[in-house]
PDB file of all heavy atoms in Angstrom:
ATOM      1  N   ALA E  86       6.711  32.859  18.864  1.00 48.00           N
ATOM      2  CA  ALA E  86       5.619  33.826  18.982  1.00 48.00           C
ATOM      3  C   ALA E  86       4.851  33.676  20.273  1.00 48.00           C
ATOM      4  O   ALA E  86       3.702  34.077  20.360  1.00 48.00           O
ATOM      5  CB  ALA E  86       4.667  33.642  17.800  1.00 48.00           C
ATOM      6  N   ALA E  87       5.458  33.085  21.293  1.00 47.00           N
ATOM      7  CA  ALA E  87       4.720  32.847  22.529  1.00 47.00           C
ATOM      8  C   ALA E  87       4.629  34.073  23.417  1.00 47.00           C
ATOM      9  O   ALA E  87       3.868  34.102  24.364  1.00 47.00           O
ATOM     10  CB  ALA E  87       5.385  31.708  23.309  1.00 47.00           C
ATOM     11  N   ALA E  88       5.436  35.109  23.158  1.00 48.00           N
ATOM     12  CA  ALA E  88       5.464  36.255  24.064  1.00 48.00           C
ATOM     13  C   ALA E  88       4.383  37.271  23.747  1.00 48.00           C
ATOM     14  O   ALA E  88       3.506  37.534  24.547  1.00 48.00           O
ATOM     15  CB  ALA E  88       6.840  36.902  24.016  1.00 48.00           C
ATOM     16  N   SER E  89       4.419  37.879  22.576  1.00 49.00           N
ATOM     17  CA  SER E  89       3.416  38.887  22.255  1.00 49.00           C
ATOM     18  C   SER E  89       3.130  38.899  20.770  1.00 49.00           C
ATOM     19  O   SER E  89       3.989  38.614  19.948  1.00 49.00           O
ATOM     20  CB  SER E  89       3.907  40.275  22.685  1.00 49.00           C
ATOM     21  OG  SER E  89       5.090  40.612  22.006  1.00 49.00           O
ATOM     22  N   VAL E  90       1.891  39.182  20.416  1.00 58.00           N
ATOM     23  CA  VAL E  90       1.453  39.234  19.023  1.00 58.00           C
ATOM     24  C   VAL E  90       0.512  40.416  18.854  1.00 58.00           C
ATOM     25  O   VAL E  90      -0.530  40.477  19.491  1.00 58.00           O
ATOM     26  CB  VAL E  90       0.731  37.935  18.606  1.00 58.00           C
ATOM     27  CG1 VAL E  90       0.219  38.059  17.184  1.00 58.00           C
ATOM     28  CG2 VAL E  90       1.672  36.742  18.718  1.00 58.00           C
ATOM     29  N   LYS E  91       0.901  41.381  18.025  1.00 67.00           N
ATOM     30  CA  LYS E  91       0.043  42.522  17.677  1.00 67.00           C
ATOM     31  C   LYS E  91      -0.551  43.190  18.909  1.00 67.00           C
ATOM     32  O   LYS E  91      -1.772  43.320  19.051  1.00 67.00           O
ATOM     33  CB  LYS E  91      -1.053  42.071  16.712  1.00 67.00           C
ATOM     34  CG  LYS E  91      -0.526  41.608  15.361  1.00 67.00           C
ATOM     35  CD  LYS E  91      -1.660  41.214  14.421  1.00 67.00           C
ATOM     36  CE  LYS E  91      -1.111  40.762  13.068  1.00 67.00           C
ATOM     37  NZ  LYS E  91      -2.193  40.334  12.147  1.00 67.00           N
ATOM     38  N   GLY E  92       0.278  43.603  19.829  1.00 83.00           N
ATOM     39  CA  GLY E  92      -0.184  44.334  20.990  1.00 83.00           C
ATOM     40  C   GLY E  92      -0.741  43.493  22.110  1.00 83.00           C
ATOM     41  O   GLY E  92      -1.273  44.030  23.084  1.00 83.00           O
ATOM     42  N   SER E  93      -0.648  42.160  21.988  1.00 89.00           N
ATOM     43  CA  SER E  93      -1.158  41.279  23.036  1.00 89.00           C
ATOM     44  C   SER E  93      -0.032  40.426  23.597  1.00 89.00           C
ATOM     45  O   SER E  93       0.965  40.173  22.927  1.00 89.00           O
ATOM     46  CB  SER E  93      -2.246  40.352  22.478  1.00 89.00           C
ATOM     47  OG  SER E  93      -3.363  41.086  22.027  1.00 89.00           O
ATOM     48  N   ILE E  94      -0.212  40.000  24.826  1.00 94.00           N
ATOM     49  CA  ILE E  94       0.700  39.022  25.410  1.00 94.00           C
ATOM     50  C   ILE E  94      -0.050  37.706  25.537  1.00 94.00           C
ATOM     51  O   ILE E  94      -1.210  37.677  25.954  1.00 94.00           O
ATOM     52  CB  ILE E  94       1.235  39.496  26.776  1.00 94.00           C
ATOM     53  CG1 ILE E  94       2.191  38.452  27.359  1.00 94.00           C
ATOM     54  CG2 ILE E  94       0.108  39.795  27.754  1.00 94.00           C
ATOM     55  CD1 ILE E  94       2.984  38.951  28.550  1.00 94.00           C
ATOM     56  N   ILE E  95       0.589  36.623  25.112  1.00 95.00           N
ATOM     57  CA  ILE E  95      -0.063  35.316  25.062  1.00 95.00           C
ATOM     58  C   ILE E  95       0.474  34.420  26.175  1.00 95.00           C
ATOM     59  O   ILE E  95       1.684  34.290  26.351  1.00 95.00           O
ATOM     60  CB  ILE E  95       0.148  34.646  23.693  1.00 95.00           C
ATOM     61  CG1 ILE E  95      -0.535  35.467  22.598  1.00 95.00           C
ATOM     62  CG2 ILE E  95      -0.404  33.220  23.695  1.00 95.00           C
ATOM     63  CD1 ILE E  95      -0.343  34.923  21.209  1.00 95.00           C
ATOM     64  N   TYR E  96      -0.449  33.819  26.916  1.00 96.00           N
ATOM     65  CA  TYR E  96      -0.112  32.864  27.965  1.00 96.00           C
ATOM     66  C   TYR E  96      -0.524  31.478  27.477  1.00 96.00           C
ATOM     67  O   TYR E  96      -1.665  31.279  27.055  1.00 96.00           O
ATOM     68  CB  TYR E  96      -0.845  33.199  29.254  1.00 96.00           C
ATOM     69  CG  TYR E  96      -0.532  34.575  29.798  1.00 96.00           C
ATOM     70  CD1 TYR E  96      -1.228  35.696  29.346  1.00 96.00           C
ATOM     71  CD2 TYR E  96       0.455  34.758  30.763  1.00 96.00           C
ATOM     72  CE1 TYR E  96      -0.946  36.966  29.842  1.00 96.00           C
ATOM     73  CE2 TYR E  96       0.742  36.017  31.269  1.00 96.00           C
ATOM     74  CZ  TYR E  96       0.043  37.112  30.798  1.00 96.00           C
ATOM     75  OH  TYR E  96       0.324  38.369  31.290  1.00 96.00           O
ATOM     76  N   GLU E  97       0.405  30.528  27.525  1.00 96.00           N
ATOM     77  CA  GLU E  97       0.130  29.192  27.011  1.00 96.00           C
ATOM     78  C   GLU E  97       0.194  28.161  28.138  1.00 96.00           C
ATOM     79  O   GLU E  97       1.056  28.227  29.002  1.00 96.00           O
ATOM     80  CB  GLU E  97       1.139  28.819  25.925  1.00 96.00           C
ATOM     81  CG  GLU E  97       1.047  29.706  24.693  1.00 96.00           C
ATOM     82  CD  GLU E  97       2.018  29.298  23.601  1.00 96.00           C
ATOM     83  OE1 GLU E  97       3.126  28.819  23.928  1.00 96.00           O
ATOM     84  OE2 GLU E  97       1.673  29.461  22.418  1.00 96.00           O
ATOM     85  N   GLN E  98      -0.725  27.202  28.080  1.00 96.00           N
ATOM     86  CA  GLN E  98      -0.769  26.117  29.055  1.00 96.00           C
ATOM     87  C   GLN E  98      -0.743  24.781  28.324  1.00 96.00           C
ATOM     88  O   GLN E  98      -1.686  24.430  27.618  1.00 96.00           O
ATOM     89  CB  GLN E  98      -2.041  26.217  29.906  1.00 96.00           C
ATOM     90  CG  GLN E  98      -2.221  25.086  30.902  1.00 96.00           C
ATOM     91  CD  GLN E  98      -1.196  25.139  32.014  1.00 96.00           C
ATOM     92  OE1 GLN E  98      -0.803  26.208  32.460  1.00 96.00           O
ATOM     93  NE2 GLN E  98      -0.752  23.978  32.475  1.00 96.00           N
ATOM     94  N   PRO E  99       0.349  23.996  28.458  1.00 96.00           N
ATOM     95  CA  PRO E  99       0.362  22.657  27.852  1.00 96.00           C
ATOM     96  C   PRO E  99      -0.573  21.734  28.615  1.00 96.00           C
ATOM     97  O   PRO E  99      -0.751  21.878  29.830  1.00 96.00           O
ATOM     98  CB  PRO E  99       1.826  22.223  28.002  1.00 96.00           C
ATOM     99  CG  PRO E  99       2.322  22.987  29.189  1.00 96.00           C
ATOM    100  CD  PRO E  99       1.591  24.300  29.185  1.00 96.00           C
ATOM    101  N   LEU E 100      -1.166  20.787  27.893  1.00 95.00           N
ATOM    102  CA  LEU E 100      -2.166  19.929  28.508  1.00 95.00           C
ATOM    103  C   LEU E 100      -1.688  18.502  28.750  1.00 95.00           C
ATOM    104  O   LEU E 100      -2.452  17.677  29.241  1.00 95.00           O
ATOM    105  CB  LEU E 100      -3.442  19.927  27.657  1.00 95.00           C
ATOM    106  CG  LEU E 100      -4.139  21.288  27.564  1.00 95.00           C
ATOM    107  CD1 LEU E 100      -5.373  21.206  26.691  1.00 95.00           C
ATOM    108  CD2 LEU E 100      -4.486  21.820  28.947  1.00 95.00           C
ATOM    109  N   HIS E 101      -0.470  18.194  28.377  1.00 93.00           N
ATOM    110  CA  HIS E 101       0.110  16.904  28.747  1.00 93.00           C
ATOM    111  C   HIS E 101       1.630  17.004  28.720  1.00 93.00           C
ATOM    112  O   HIS E 101       2.203  18.000  28.286  1.00 93.00           O
ATOM    113  CB  HIS E 101      -0.392  15.757  27.866  1.00 93.00           C
ATOM    114  CG  HIS E 101      -0.234  15.979  26.400  1.00 93.00           C
ATOM    115  ND1 HIS E 101       0.988  15.868  25.751  1.00 93.00           N
ATOM    116  CD2 HIS E 101      -1.131  16.315  25.450  1.00 93.00           C
ATOM    117  CE1 HIS E 101       0.818  16.111  24.470  1.00 93.00           C
ATOM    118  NE2 HIS E 101      -0.443  16.391  24.268  1.00 93.00           N
ATOM    119  N   GLU E 102       2.283  15.967  29.211  1.00 95.00           N
ATOM    120  CA  GLU E 102       3.721  16.022  29.479  1.00 95.00           C
ATOM    121  C   GLU E 102       4.550  16.234  28.219  1.00 95.00           C
ATOM    122  O   GLU E 102       5.577  16.925  28.245  1.00 95.00           O
ATOM    123  CB  GLU E 102       4.164  14.732  30.186  1.00 95.00           C
ATOM    124  CG  GLU E 102       5.531  14.828  30.845  1.00 95.00           C
ATOM    125  CD  GLU E 102       5.616  15.940  31.880  1.00 95.00           C
ATOM    126  OE1 GLU E 102       4.630  16.164  32.610  1.00 95.00           O
ATOM    127  OE2 GLU E 102       6.679  16.600  31.940  1.00 95.00           O
ATOM    128  N   ARG E 103       4.140  15.648  27.112  1.00 95.00           N
ATOM    129  CA  ARG E 103       4.925  15.801  25.885  1.00 95.00           C
ATOM    130  C   ARG E 103       4.954  17.253  25.420  1.00 95.00           C
ATOM    131  O   ARG E 103       6.004  17.779  25.051  1.00 95.00           O
ATOM    132  CB  ARG E 103       4.361  14.902  24.779  1.00 95.00           C
ATOM    133  CG  ARG E 103       5.185  14.918  23.501  1.00 95.00           C
ATOM    134  CD  ARG E 103       4.572  14.013  22.446  1.00 95.00           C
ATOM    135  NE  ARG E 103       4.649  12.620  22.840  1.00 95.00           N
ATOM    136  CZ  ARG E 103       4.002  11.633  22.216  1.00 95.00           C
ATOM    137  NH1 ARG E 103       3.206  11.914  21.188  1.00 95.00           N
ATOM    138  NH2 ARG E 103       4.144  10.385  22.605  1.00 95.00           N
ATOM    139  N   MET E 104       3.799  17.916  25.469  1.00 96.00           N
ATOM    140  CA  MET E 104       3.759  19.326  25.094  1.00 96.00           C
ATOM    141  C   MET E 104       4.582  20.167  26.061  1.00 96.00           C
ATOM    142  O   MET E 104       5.254  21.121  25.665  1.00 96.00           O
ATOM    143  CB  MET E 104       2.307  19.826  25.074  1.00 96.00           C
ATOM    144  CG  MET E 104       1.500  19.427  23.867  1.00 96.00           C
ATOM    145  SD  MET E 104       2.209  20.022  22.315  1.00 96.00           S
ATOM    146  CE  MET E 104       2.988  18.515  21.713  1.00 96.00           C
ATOM    147  N   ARG E 105       4.523  19.796  27.336  1.00 96.00           N
ATOM    148  CA  ARG E 105       5.295  20.532  28.343  1.00 96.00           C
ATOM    149  C   ARG E 105       6.788  20.437  28.023  1.00 96.00           C
ATOM    150  O   ARG E 105       7.519  21.430  28.106  1.00 96.00           O
ATOM    151  CB  ARG E 105       4.993  19.951  29.725  1.00 96.00           C
ATOM    152  CG  ARG E 105       5.478  20.796  30.878  1.00 96.00           C
ATOM    153  CD  ARG E 105       4.948  20.262  32.203  1.00 96.00           C
ATOM    154  NE  ARG E 105       3.518  20.531  32.329  1.00 96.00           N
ATOM    155  CZ  ARG E 105       2.571  19.599  32.304  1.00 96.00           C
ATOM    156  NH1 ARG E 105       2.897  18.328  32.170  1.00 96.00           N
ATOM    157  NH2 ARG E 105       1.295  19.922  32.419  1.00 96.00           N
ATOM    158  N   LEU E 106       7.252  19.248  27.634  1.00 97.00           N
ATOM    159  CA  LEU E 106       8.658  19.053  27.272  1.00 97.00           C
ATOM    160  C   LEU E 106       9.035  19.897  26.061  1.00 97.00           C
ATOM    161  O   LEU E 106      10.051  20.615  26.075  1.00 97.00           O
ATOM    162  CB  LEU E 106       8.907  17.570  26.979  1.00 97.00           C
ATOM    163  CG  LEU E 106      10.259  17.213  26.357  1.00 97.00           C
ATOM    164  CD1 LEU E 106      11.398  17.533  27.313  1.00 97.00           C
ATOM    165  CD2 LEU E 106      10.283  15.738  25.956  1.00 97.00           C
ATOM    166  N   PHE E 107       8.216  19.845  25.021  1.00 97.00           N
ATOM    167  CA  PHE E 107       8.537  20.584  23.791  1.00 97.00           C
ATOM    168  C   PHE E 107       8.535  22.098  24.025  1.00 97.00           C
ATOM    169  O   PHE E 107       9.383  22.814  23.505  1.00 97.00           O
ATOM    170  CB  PHE E 107       7.534  20.234  22.687  1.00 97.00           C
ATOM    171  CG  PHE E 107       7.607  18.805  22.217  1.00 97.00           C
ATOM    172  CD1 PHE E 107       6.587  18.253  21.450  1.00 97.00           C
ATOM    173  CD2 PHE E 107       8.688  17.999  22.539  1.00 97.00           C
ATOM    174  CE1 PHE E 107       6.650  16.943  21.010  1.00 97.00           C
ATOM    175  CE2 PHE E 107       8.762  16.681  22.114  1.00 97.00           C
ATOM    176  CZ  PHE E 107       7.730  16.144  21.348  1.00 97.00           C
ATOM    177  N   MET E 108       7.568  22.573  24.805  1.00 97.00           N
ATOM    178  CA  MET E 108       7.486  24.015  25.050  1.00 97.00           C
ATOM    179  C   MET E 108       8.655  24.503  25.900  1.00 97.00           C
ATOM    180  O   MET E 108       9.173  25.601  25.693  1.00 97.00           O
ATOM    181  CB  MET E 108       6.141  24.344  25.699  1.00 97.00           C
ATOM    182  CG  MET E 108       4.969  24.172  24.742  1.00 97.00           C
ATOM    183  SD  MET E 108       3.338  24.252  25.541  1.00 97.00           S
ATOM    184  CE  MET E 108       3.280  25.978  25.991  1.00 97.00           C
ATOM    185  N   ARG E 109       9.087  23.691  26.853  1.00 96.00           N
ATOM    186  CA  ARG E 109      10.261  24.065  27.645  1.00 96.00           C
ATOM    187  C   ARG E 109      11.508  24.094  26.767  1.00 96.00           C
ATOM    188  O   ARG E 109      12.352  24.990  26.890  1.00 96.00           O
ATOM    189  CB  ARG E 109      10.429  23.088  28.812  1.00 96.00           C
ATOM    190  CG  ARG E 109       9.452  23.359  29.943  1.00 96.00           C
ATOM    191  CD  ARG E 109       9.549  22.322  31.039  1.00 96.00           C
ATOM    192  NE  ARG E 109       8.708  22.715  32.180  1.00 96.00           N
ATOM    193  CZ  ARG E 109       8.256  21.885  33.093  1.00 96.00           C
ATOM    194  NH1 ARG E 109       8.555  20.594  33.017  1.00 96.00           N
ATOM    195  NH2 ARG E 109       7.514  22.312  34.097  1.00 96.00           N
ATOM    196  N   LEU E 110      11.646  23.102  25.884  1.00 96.00           N
ATOM    197  CA  LEU E 110      12.781  23.093  24.969  1.00 96.00           C
ATOM    198  C   LEU E 110      12.772  24.335  24.080  1.00 96.00           C
ATOM    199  O   LEU E 110      13.816  24.948  23.846  1.00 96.00           O
ATOM    200  CB  LEU E 110      12.735  21.837  24.095  1.00 96.00           C
ATOM    201  CG  LEU E 110      13.486  20.610  24.593  1.00 96.00           C
ATOM    202  CD1 LEU E 110      13.221  19.423  23.676  1.00 96.00           C
ATOM    203  CD2 LEU E 110      14.971  20.884  24.695  1.00 96.00           C
ATOM    204  N   GLU E 111      11.603  24.702  23.580  1.00 97.00           N
ATOM    205  CA  GLU E 111      11.492  25.873  22.714  1.00 97.00           C
ATOM    206  C   GLU E 111      11.965  27.128  23.432  1.00 97.00           C
ATOM    207  O   GLU E 111      12.741  27.928  22.879  1.00 97.00           O
ATOM    208  CB  GLU E 111      10.040  26.033  22.264  1.00 97.00           C
ATOM    209  CG  GLU E 111       9.812  27.249  21.375  1.00 97.00           C
ATOM    210  CD  GLU E 111       8.337  27.481  21.092  1.00 97.00           C
ATOM    211  OE1 GLU E 111       7.525  27.497  22.045  1.00 97.00           O
ATOM    212  OE2 GLU E 111       7.987  27.651  19.916  1.00 97.00           O
ATOM    213  N   VAL E 112      11.514  27.314  24.670  1.00 96.00           N
ATOM    214  CA  VAL E 112      11.904  28.491  25.445  1.00 96.00           C
ATOM    215  C   VAL E 112      13.405  28.508  25.685  1.00 96.00           C
ATOM    216  O   VAL E 112      14.075  29.535  25.510  1.00 96.00           O
ATOM    217  CB  VAL E 112      11.130  28.538  26.781  1.00 96.00           C
ATOM    218  CG1 VAL E 112      11.735  29.570  27.717  1.00 96.00           C
ATOM    219  CG2 VAL E 112       9.660  28.865  26.535  1.00 96.00           C
ATOM    220  N   LEU E 113      13.965  27.370  26.073  1.00 96.00           N
ATOM    221  CA  LEU E 113      15.394  27.310  26.370  1.00 96.00           C
ATOM    222  C   LEU E 113      16.234  27.542  25.124  1.00 96.00           C
ATOM    223  O   LEU E 113      17.263  28.237  25.178  1.00 96.00           O
ATOM    224  CB  LEU E 113      15.734  25.963  27.006  1.00 96.00           C
ATOM    225  CG  LEU E 113      15.210  25.746  28.431  1.00 96.00           C
ATOM    226  CD1 LEU E 113      15.475  24.322  28.899  1.00 96.00           C
ATOM    227  CD2 LEU E 113      15.820  26.750  29.398  1.00 96.00           C
ATOM    228  N   MET E 114      15.823  26.989  23.990  1.00 95.00           N
ATOM    229  CA  MET E 114      16.587  27.191  22.761  1.00 95.00           C
ATOM    230  C   MET E 114      16.547  28.649  22.332  1.00 95.00           C
ATOM    231  O   MET E 114      17.532  29.193  21.823  1.00 95.00           O
ATOM    232  CB  MET E 114      16.067  26.261  21.653  1.00 95.00           C
ATOM    233  CG  MET E 114      16.432  24.804  21.880  1.00 95.00           C
ATOM    234  SD  MET E 114      16.077  23.708  20.461  1.00 95.00           S
ATOM    235  CE  MET E 114      14.288  23.650  20.536  1.00 95.00           C
ATOM    236  N   HIS E 115      15.415  29.304  22.556  1.00 95.00           N
ATOM    237  CA  HIS E 115      15.328  30.733  22.233  1.00 95.00           C
ATOM    238  C   HIS E 115      16.236  31.542  23.152  1.00 95.00           C
ATOM    239  O   HIS E 115      16.935  32.460  22.702  1.00 95.00           O
ATOM    240  CB  HIS E 115      13.882  31.195  22.364  1.00 95.00           C
ATOM    241  CG  HIS E 115      13.716  32.683  22.247  1.00 95.00           C
ATOM    242  ND1 HIS E 115      14.298  33.421  21.247  1.00 95.00           N
ATOM    243  CD2 HIS E 115      13.036  33.567  23.024  1.00 95.00           C
ATOM    244  CE1 HIS E 115      13.997  34.692  21.404  1.00 95.00           C
ATOM    245  NE2 HIS E 115      13.244  34.810  22.480  1.00 95.00           N
ATOM    246  N   ARG E 116      16.251  31.223  24.439  1.00 95.00           N
ATOM    247  CA  ARG E 116      17.124  31.934  25.369  1.00 95.00           C
ATOM    248  C   ARG E 116      18.592  31.735  25.005  1.00 95.00           C
ATOM    249  O   ARG E 116      19.395  32.674  25.067  1.00 95.00           O
ATOM    250  CB  ARG E 116      16.880  31.442  26.797  1.00 95.00           C
ATOM    251  CG  ARG E 116      15.559  31.895  27.399  1.00 95.00           C
ATOM    252  CD  ARG E 116      15.408  31.335  28.803  1.00 95.00           C
ATOM    253  NE  ARG E 116      14.094  31.639  29.351  1.00 95.00           N
ATOM    254  CZ  ARG E 116      13.618  31.115  30.479  1.00 95.00           C
ATOM    255  NH1 ARG E 116      14.363  30.254  31.159  1.00 95.00           N
ATOM    256  NH2 ARG E 116      12.402  31.433  30.920  1.00 95.00           N
ATOM    257  N   PHE E 117      18.948  30.510  24.648  1.00 95.00           N
ATOM    258  CA  PHE E 117      20.318  30.220  24.245  1.00 95.00           C
ATOM    259  C   PHE E 117      20.705  31.080  23.050  1.00 95.00           C
ATOM    260  O   PHE E 117      21.765  31.721  23.023  1.00 95.00           O
ATOM    261  CB  PHE E 117      20.440  28.736  23.903  1.00 95.00           C
ATOM    262  CG  PHE E 117      21.798  28.324  23.410  1.00 95.00           C
ATOM    263  CD1 PHE E 117      22.791  27.972  24.301  1.00 95.00           C
ATOM    264  CD2 PHE E 117      22.077  28.279  22.051  1.00 95.00           C
ATOM    265  CE1 PHE E 117      24.054  27.586  23.852  1.00 95.00           C
ATOM    266  CE2 PHE E 117      23.324  27.903  21.589  1.00 95.00           C
ATOM    267  CZ  PHE E 117      24.317  27.548  22.487  1.00 95.00           C
ATOM    268  N   ASP E 118      19.837  31.109  22.061  1.00 93.00           N
ATOM    269  CA  ASP E 118      20.101  31.891  20.849  1.00 93.00           C
ATOM    270  C   ASP E 118      20.221  33.371  21.164  1.00 93.00           C
ATOM    271  O   ASP E 118      21.099  34.076  20.655  1.00 93.00           O
ATOM    272  CB  ASP E 118      18.983  31.648  19.838  1.00 93.00           C
ATOM    273  CG  ASP E 118      19.248  32.313  18.501  1.00 93.00           C
ATOM    274  OD1 ASP E 118      20.399  32.248  18.031  1.00 93.00           O
ATOM    275  OD2 ASP E 118      18.320  32.907  17.935  1.00 93.00           O
ATOM    276  N   HIS E 119      19.330  33.861  22.036  1.00 93.00           N
ATOM    277  CA  HIS E 119      19.330  35.286  22.377  1.00 93.00           C
ATOM    278  C   HIS E 119      20.643  35.684  23.050  1.00 93.00           C
ATOM    279  O   HIS E 119      21.252  36.699  22.692  1.00 93.00           O
ATOM    280  CB  HIS E 119      18.150  35.606  23.293  1.00 93.00           C
ATOM    281  CG  HIS E 119      18.081  37.036  23.716  1.00 93.00           C
ATOM    282  ND1 HIS E 119      17.574  38.028  22.891  1.00 93.00           N
ATOM    283  CD2 HIS E 119      18.454  37.657  24.863  1.00 93.00           C
ATOM    284  CE1 HIS E 119      17.647  39.196  23.507  1.00 93.00           C
ATOM    285  NE2 HIS E 119      18.180  38.998  24.704  1.00 93.00           N
ATOM    286  N   SER E 120      21.088  34.901  24.007  1.00 93.00           N
ATOM    287  CA  SER E 120      22.341  35.219  24.699  1.00 93.00           C
ATOM    288  C   SER E 120      23.528  35.105  23.758  1.00 93.00           C
ATOM    289  O   SER E 120      24.498  35.867  23.856  1.00 93.00           O
ATOM    290  CB  SER E 120      22.539  34.275  25.892  1.00 93.00           C
ATOM    291  OG  SER E 120      21.530  34.446  26.849  1.00 93.00           O
ATOM    292  N   LEU E 121      23.450  34.182  22.821  1.00 93.00           N
ATOM    293  CA  LEU E 121      24.565  33.946  21.904  1.00 93.00           C
ATOM    294  C   LEU E 121      24.752  35.095  20.920  1.00 93.00           C
ATOM    295  O   LEU E 121      25.806  35.217  20.289  1.00 93.00           O
ATOM    296  CB  LEU E 121      24.327  32.642  21.142  1.00 93.00           C
ATOM    297  CG  LEU E 121      25.568  31.877  20.654  1.00 93.00           C
ATOM    298  CD1 LEU E 121      26.406  31.427  21.842  1.00 93.00           C
ATOM    299  CD2 LEU E 121      25.156  30.687  19.816  1.00 93.00           C
ATOM    300  N   GLN E 122      23.743  35.936  20.774  1.00 92.00           N
ATOM    301  CA  GLN E 122      23.850  37.076  19.861  1.00 92.00           C
ATOM    302  C   GLN E 122      24.838  38.123  20.386  1.00 92.00           C
ATOM    303  O   GLN E 122      25.329  38.948  19.619  1.00 92.00           O
ATOM    304  CB  GLN E 122      22.485  37.738  19.687  1.00 92.00           C
ATOM    305  CG  GLN E 122      21.427  36.864  19.043  1.00 92.00           C
ATOM    306  CD  GLN E 122      20.069  37.526  19.068  1.00 92.00           C
ATOM    307  OE1 GLN E 122      19.969  38.755  19.107  1.00 92.00           O
ATOM    308  NE2 GLN E 122      19.011  36.733  19.080  1.00 92.00           N
ATOM    309  N   HIS E 123      25.100  38.107  21.687  1.00 91.00           N
ATOM    310  CA  HIS E 123      25.909  39.145  22.309  1.00 91.00           C
ATOM    311  C   HIS E 123      27.309  38.630  22.614  1.00 91.00           C
ATOM    312  O   HIS E 123      27.553  37.429  22.666  1.00 91.00           O
ATOM    313  CB  HIS E 123      25.206  39.651  23.569  1.00 91.00           C
ATOM    314  CG  HIS E 123      23.802  40.119  23.298  1.00 91.00           C
ATOM    315  ND1 HIS E 123      23.517  41.288  22.638  1.00 91.00           N
ATOM    316  CD2 HIS E 123      22.598  39.535  23.567  1.00 91.00           C
ATOM    317  CE1 HIS E 123      22.205  41.438  22.526  1.00 91.00           C
ATOM    318  NE2 HIS E 123      21.624  40.380  23.083  1.00 91.00           N
ATOM    319  N   ASP E 124      28.227  39.570  22.826  1.00 92.00           N
ATOM    320  CA  ASP E 124      29.644  39.222  22.816  1.00 92.00           C
ATOM    321  C   ASP E 124      30.322  39.116  24.170  1.00 92.00           C
ATOM    322  O   ASP E 124      31.420  38.563  24.269  1.00 92.00           O
ATOM    323  CB  ASP E 124      30.425  40.265  21.988  1.00 92.00           C
ATOM    324  CG  ASP E 124      29.940  40.342  20.542  1.00 92.00           C
ATOM    325  OD1 ASP E 124      29.312  39.364  20.084  1.00 92.00           O
ATOM    326  OD2 ASP E 124      30.182  41.379  19.894  1.00 92.00           O
ATOM    327  N   SER E 125      29.747  39.642  25.218  1.00 93.00           N
ATOM    328  CA  SER E 125      30.463  39.742  26.492  1.00 93.00           C
ATOM    329  C   SER E 125      30.558  38.390  27.195  1.00 93.00           C
ATOM    330  O   SER E 125      29.800  37.446  26.911  1.00 93.00           O
ATOM    331  CB  SER E 125      29.767  40.746  27.408  1.00 93.00           C
ATOM    332  OG  SER E 125      28.549  40.215  27.894  1.00 93.00           O
TER     333      SER E 125
END
C-alpha cells in the first residue's frame, strides 16, 4: 500500500538502516511478482 490509498499518493521515508533494507526488499519483491504475472 505504499503507492496510493483512496485518491492519495504516499511518500515514505525510513528513519534507520534496518527499515531502509526492509522497504527496499518489499518494493523489489512486489516488482518481481508484478513482472512474473506476464508471459512474454
